[in-house]
Structure formats: structure tokens, C-alpha cells
Amino acid sequence: MSTPTSESAPGLHEDNDTRVGPADRNSSILTRWGSRGTAIVLGLGALVMVLIGASVGLALGNSGPQTMSISADGKDVVNTGFARDMIVHHNQGVLMAHIAELDSSDKEVRLTAYDIEYTQTSQIGTMQGWLDLWGVPRLNSDAHMSWMGSVGMADMNVVGTSTASSGLSDGAVMPGMATDAEITKLEGLKGSASDIFFLQLMIRHHHGGAAMMTYAATHAASPVVQNFASKMLESQESEIGVMTGMLAARGAKPLAYTAPTG
């Protein structure tokens, strides 16, 4: 993204009791997270929106005649393919983060989940805006990651997409995505088991999207899309490090994942 995510976990953790009862789910953000955590999250949200606005402004104002630039951007298969596929990939990330935020009793995990949910929702809105601005459909019949050519096809054959099997199946339509069975399992877990499985799924999810970000950062026709993908990759790599540390602190390790080599 051109909107960097925050390394939310270390700075947002507080030393007070992190247990949260059912009634707390309906309380205000200030009550749930305290003034310090709320201020940080709101500040990050403001920064996200400012940077999104800057990206849109660059798309509209830095390319000479606007109509010519917009038309050309909409004809580039990397621009449009990255936006469409990353929206799909992000939609599942938002779902997993939402489940974790509601079910976790760990403040550090809840703040991490909220940060991912908020940031990726904003990024989805930006990419949908591009597609609308370019005058192209948000969905089409092309195979996922086909816009990456032979690299994308190799990535779609990656081993380790699911903990239960190799390849892409059961709702996991792109590398790193959780299967429908894994989403159902996450919804049924509570407490530390939920926290650990969420972190494991999200780390793998971030790893799986990296190939698309890397390709778009170097092959997209639009410099705005290139920058957006590059910044998204940087922030998600940072989040992987943070979440891996959180897993270690909870006595767990990331799920097995084989990165694409194509």
C-alpha cells in the first residue's frame, strides 16, 4: 500500500490486566483500550486517511492530461489485476482480524487485529476507487494472479497454502489464504487458542500476498500503484516480525509455509 501500517503490537501493549468480560465487548473504545491505546489507534487512522488522500491526489494530478493517464492506467493488466486480486486477499484478512478482535481477551492481540482490520479496509477502498476511476469492472473472469504471467501461475501451485493439504482449495483461492475449514475453526476457538491460531493464519496470509505486492511494485504501469504495493509489502513484512514475536511469547510458532520460487 502507499498507506503504511503500524507496528501496532509493541507500542500498544499495556501492563494492566488484559482480561475482558463479555460486557466489555459493547463498551466504548476508550473504556476498552484506555486513553493511550485509543489515542494511538485514532492517530494511526488519521495518518492512514491522509496518505490515502495523497495517493489519490497523485493519481489525479501528476500524470499530465488526466483523461489520458486514467485511461492508460485502466488498460494495464498489472494495475487492474493487482487491485482486483488484492481486494479479494484483503477481504479475508479483514474477516480474520474481525473475528479475532471480537473473540480475543488479550489486549495486545485485539489491538493488532483492529489495526489490520482498519488498515486493510482502507486499502480495499483505495483499490476499489482506482478500478472505478479507471472505468473497469471490480470483478472479471480472469484466473487469480494470471496478470503476473508465468510467475503468477507458479505461485498458484505453491505448496503449503493450507495446513491440511497442498495447493489451493476449500476457499483458499490464492497463496497464504485460509481455507473455509480454517475460518470455521478460528470462529470456534476462544482465549489463547484463538489468539495463537489467528496470529498463525495472519502471518501465513501476509506471506502469501507478498508475491503480488513484489510483482506490482516493479511491473505496474502506474507509479502510484507501484508505490502503494511497495509500501504495503514493507509494512506487512514488519507486521510478520511483530506477530512472530507475539507467537513466541505465547509458546507457539508460525504455520508451515513454502514461499513461491517462480
Side-chain angles (χ1 to χ4, degrees), residues 215-234:
Y215 192 89
T218 55
H219 292 84
S222 168
V224 174
V225 176
Q226 287 185 1
N227 185 60
F228 188 89
S230 176
K231 296 301 182 183
M232 183 186 294
L233 179 63
E234 290 177 10

Side-chain angles (χ1 to χ4, degrees), residues 160-242:
T161 299
S162 129
T163 54
S165 63
S166 301
L168 304 169
S169 62
D170 190 26
V173 297
M174 282 178 278
M177 292 183 68
T179 64
D180 293 339
E182 288 172 329
I183 294 295
T184 299
K185 178 180 176 180
L186 179 63
E187 291 174 327
L189 294 174
K190 302 296 179 184
S192 61
S194 173
D195 298 337
I196 289 171
F197 196 49
F198 162 69
L199 291 170
Q200 290 173 327
L201 290 179
M202 191 59 73
I203 289 170
R204 192 184 66 195
H205 197 268
H206 277 15
H207 278 306
M212 289 192 287
M213 300 170 207
T214 300
Y215 192 89
T218 55
H219 292 84
S222 168
V224 174
V225 176
Q226 287 185 1
N227 185 60
F228 188 89
S230 176
K231 296 301 182 183
M232 183 186 294
L233 179 63
E234 290 177 10
S235 63
Q236 291 207 1
E237 286 176 340
S238 177
E239 288 177 350
I240 287 171
V242 171

